[in-house]
Amino acid sequence: MMRIDAHHHVWTLARADYGWLTPERGPIYRDFGLADLAPHLATAGIEGTILVQAAPTEAETAFMLDVAKGSELVRGVVGWIDFDASDAVARIDAIAGRELLVGLRPMVQDIADDDWLLRPELVAQLEAMARHDLVFDALVLPRHLSRLVQVVDRHPDLQFVLDHFGKPQLASGDIATWKNDIADLATRGNVVCKLSGLATEAAANWQVADLREAVDHALASFGPQRMLWGSDWPVINLAGGYGYWFAAAERLLADLSSEAKAAIFGGNAARVYLSSRGRPTSLK
């Protein structure tokens, strides 16, 4: 079964649409391309990836699709469109014609209105995504989870992926409400959980034990068939790097069966993202 990194980025600073990416980000404030990623994938035995948006512009989505078109390594792209545009449905219909596009991700965590997900104007856009078998990647914070549950219930035909576990506040240890909301969200069968982005939510110099409670809870809630691993590279360079995070994930999942681990490290990503779109895998 193909191993797949279900969440990574590439960027070119000269494109100038990564508003969050400032010099204060230190080690990730430079260009990153697939050539920089390749050694990490080789070491981890990863054969395919899902390339995910990092800027709220349709120009970046076009950039990523061009990157993906030029490399068999990228199996699919999760892009961005302006969901608030008056012609947003038409934009989704148009971009769905790009076969390497497998999903869309509004940057909910950066939207000032915490109730943005609940806007009735979004219903048609999400219905359009479902028609085109596009996945909705949910980049949310813990305070958005209860709202996400309502959206998931309204769109049972749309596949949702919860990015980064919904960013539990691991550094402070304040995760009780997050745990309740995760358990509630996991009862919805059209949601899966992405094992990614935890290292940057933990305290500096984190250890595997610092992630254990959150991972065990999400695993118990979603089960191994509804969890998929992603590196969040190159953002992970802020919190230990690719190899350290991959090794931590292996330790966190060490007690699972080989079949369950194979699902989390590739099989589930192939099923969720690539069953009807993207580059074929051995599962298609």
Side-chain angles (χ1 to χ4, degrees), residues 161-221:
V161 174
L162 178 63
D163 283 353
H164 311 328
F165 275 28
K167 296 199 167 185
Q169 297 175 337
L170 300 181
S172 69
D174 182 14
I175 65 171
T177 300
W178 171 87
K179 290 174 72 172
N180 290 334
D181 288 338
I182 286 293
D184 188 23
L185 186 63
T187 63
R188 278 69 178 175
N190 56 327
V191 187
V192 298
C193 185
K194 195 176 286 187
L195 177 55
S196 61
L198 295 184
T200 45
E201 300 304 316
N205 302 313
W206 62 271
Q207 304 295 316
V208 169
D210 300 325
L211 313 182
R212 174 70 67 182
E213 182 180 1
V215 173
D216 285 353
H217 177 71
L219 189 58
S221 299

Side-chain angles (χ1 to χ4, degrees), residues 6 8 10 12 61 68 93 132-133 197 201 283:
H8 76 89
V10 297
T12 302
T61 299
D93 290 339
H132 293 294
D133 293 321
E201 300 304 316
L283 297 184

Side-chain angles (χ1 to χ4, degrees), residues 2 4 63 79 130 137 145 204 230 249 275:
M2 175 180 286
I4 295 173
F63 162 72
D137 260 47
L145 291 175
S275 60

Side-chain angles (χ1 to χ4, degrees), residues 19-29 238:
W20 62 275
L21 187 53
T22 62
E24 289 71 30
R25 299 285 183 173
I28 65 171
Y29 187 69
L238 297 173

Side-chain angles (χ1 to χ4, degrees), residues 14-65:
R15 296 194 54 263
D17 52 1
Y18 309 98
W20 62 275
L21 187 53
T22 62
E24 289 71 30
R25 299 285 183 173
I28 65 171
Y29 187 69
R30 66 173 181 84
D31 293 353
F32 285 93
L34 294 180
D36 301 298
L37 176 61
H40 302 297
L41 301 178
T43 299
I46 293 171
E47 305 163 87
T49 72
I50 303 296
L51 176 57
V52 179
Q53 66 85 224
T57 67
E58 292 173 23
E60 197 227 6
T61 299
F63 162 72
M64 291 190 301
L65 287 166

